[in-house]
């Protein structure tokens, strides 16, 4: 696969339909690289892998990350995320670990250098049994990914930057990195994303360009609201400027999670133009 330019604009998108048609739709937004999410219920087998490999070659499209999502996850509100997402729920840990290995194998077959997921809310207390179980699981996944020469990126947002940093230091695996999503820090109310980037910068291997507003103060447990890029509280220009200052050389992956397909595509098109403009201004 072609190596993307530093700060090349990409899109975070999801598998499910025909791979070639999916890539053609993403390319119609004006990008040639991105991150592929695999829904938790999607079968992963040799036929699926072969179809993606062929489509990526035919469309000359570069994947920088394969993202794992897991069956049974829900992002309805913060307590539901705590209960259902990532490596935290005890009853699904074994099946999600096996699934993550399958994602790593799939990514390796496509020549993708990084896998990623939300591991869920990391408890602040290292003595918490969930903390220890998740740390051991992250170590095993990291070691598995390392055998494929991959990084394993943890998505930000569900805990404050200092908690994530301490956890990663405790995991102590050189290929564990961060997929930094500035909007998540706001949506979950965990802290200012630009300050967080100062702390986490050296570990950031990939980013989401997503925007959003803080949670409503009168509804405890509610998430903030995602917004089209440039219309939320992230300060996307400041975000790109900070990435440049830190010497980030990965791609800028636009993520838009609004349900309506047409709206999502229109918002991503607008976001591509916004990022092009910001990059030109900062060049
Ligand atoms: Mg994200």
């Amino acid at each position: 696969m072609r190596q993307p330019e530093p700060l090349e604009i990409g899109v975070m998108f999801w598998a499910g339909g025909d791979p070639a048609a999916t890539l053609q739709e993403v390319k119609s937004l004006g990008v040639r690289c991105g991150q592929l999410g695999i829904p938790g219920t999607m079968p992963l087998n040799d036929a699926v892998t072969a179809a993606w490999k062929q489509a990526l070659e035919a469309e000359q499209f570069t994947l920088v990350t394969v993202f794992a999502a897991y069956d049974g996850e829900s992002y309805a509100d913060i307590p539901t995320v705590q209960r259902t997402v990532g490596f935290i729920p005890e009853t699904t840990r074994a099946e999600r670990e096996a699934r993550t290995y399958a994602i790593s194998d799939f990514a390796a077959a496509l020549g993708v250098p990084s896998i990623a997921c939300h591991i869920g809310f990391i408890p602040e207390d290292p003595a918490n049994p969930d903390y220890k179980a998740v740390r051991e699981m992250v170590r095993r996944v990291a070691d598995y990914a390392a055998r494929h020469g991959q990084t394993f990126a943890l998505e930000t947002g569900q805990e404050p930057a200092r908690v994530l940093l301490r956890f990663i230091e405790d995991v102590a695996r050189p290929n564990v990195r961060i997929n930094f999503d500035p909007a998540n820090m706001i949506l979950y109310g965990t802290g200012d994303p630009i300050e967080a980037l100062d702390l986490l910068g050296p570990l950031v291997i990939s980013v989401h360009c997503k925007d959003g507003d803080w949670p409503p103060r009168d509804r405890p447990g509610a998430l903030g609201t995602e917004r089209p890029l440039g219309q939320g509280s992230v300060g996307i220009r400041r975000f790109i400027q900070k990435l440049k200052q830190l010497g980030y050389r990965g791609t800028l992956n636009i993520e838009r999670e609004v349900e309506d397909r047409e709206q999502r595509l229109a918002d991503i098109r607008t976001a591509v133009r916004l990022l092009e403009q910001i990059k030109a201004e900062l060049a």
Side-chain angles (χ1 to χ4, degrees):
M1 278 192 287
R2 177 187 65 94
Q3 180 74 24
E5 301 292 322
L7 303 181
E8 183 169 325
I9 301 168
V11 168
M12 167 74 208
F13 62 102
W14 289 85
D18 173 66
T22 302
L23 292 176
Q24 284 157 14
E25 181 179 89
V26 174
K27 283 169 69 183
S28 77
L29 302 168
V31 303
R32 297 164 61 211
C33 66
Q35 298 175 298
L36 176 66
I38 306 294
T41 49
M42 187 178 127
L44 278 179
N45 53 45
D46 289 350
V48 169
T49 304
W52 272 100
K53 195 172 168 59
Q54 190 185 11
L56 287 163
E57 279 164 15
E59 298 299 329
Q60 296 282 295
F61 193 92
T62 301
L63 287 183
V64 295
T65 315
V66 177
F67 255 83
Y70 304 101
D71 192 17
E73 291 185 314
S74 166
Y75 289 84
D77 54 26
I78 290 173
T80 309
V81 173
Q82 277 172 327
R83 206 178 61 246
T84 67
V85 168
F87 298 176
I88 295 290
E90 200 181 340
T91 51
T92 50
R93 250 178 224 148
E95 72 184 53
R96 289 182 182 183
E97 184 170 339
R99 176 71 176 181
T100 313
Y101 295 160
I103 293 284
S104 175
D105 292 342
F106 172 75
L110 302 183
V112 180
S114 188
I115 61 166
C117 71
H118 278 283
I119 60 167
F121 275 86
I122 300 164
E124 293 220 11
D125 178 7
N128 183 312
D130 284 336
Y131 177 99
K132 290 183 182 172
V134 171
R135 181 189 60 198
E136 295 313 306
M137 189 161 156
V138 169
R139 284 176 174 163
R140 290 192 298 274
V141 170
D143 292 343
Y144 192 95
R147 291 201 284 275
H148 287 312
Q150 294 161 341
T151 53
F152 176 34
L154 314 184
E155 170 106 353
T156 53
Q158 290 160 354
E159 52 283 307
R162 61 179 170 77
V163 174
L164 182 61
L165 181 61
R166 193 187 57 189
F167 176 78
I168 291 176
E169 285 170 355
D170 191 14
V171 166
R173 291 295 188 274
N175 63 327
V176 171
R177 300 297 180 85
I178 289 171
N179 184 80
F180 192 93
D181 184 326
N184 285 350
M185 313 228 48
I186 290 174
L187 298 176
Y188 288 87
T190 44
D192 177 74
I194 312 298
E195 283 172 26
L197 200 47
D198 268 325
L199 197 62
L200 302 174
L203 289 166
V204 173
I205 187 92
S206 50
V207 299
H208 283 164
C209 291
K210 190 172 84 184
D211 217 332
D213 288 329
W214 296 90
R217 288 190 185 179
D218 56 347
R219 282 168 47 215
L223 284 156
T225 307
E226 200 209 336
R227 301 281 183 213
L229 201 67
Q231 295 179 32
S233 304
V234 165
I236 207 70
R237 193 177 191 285
R238 189 169 79 106
F239 177 58
I240 306 298
Q241 197 164 22
K242 175 60 78 175
L243 287 172
K244 285 192 75 148
Q245 271 172 19
L246 292 168
Y248 173 76
R249 294 177 64 80
T251 57
L252 303 174
N253 306 290
I254 297 163
E255 182 175 41
R256 181 70 172 124
E257 297 183 300
V258 69
E259 280 288 320
D260 183 78
R261 177 176 170 273
E262 290 306 319
Q263 186 65 53
R264 189 172 70 246
L265 295 176
D267 288 347
I268 294 174
R269 267 193 202 96
T270 308
V272 171
R273 287 196 293 272
L274 175 64
L275 288 178
E276 280 170 350
Q277 191 190 329
I278 291 172
K279 280 173 61 179
E281 283 167 15
L282 296 175

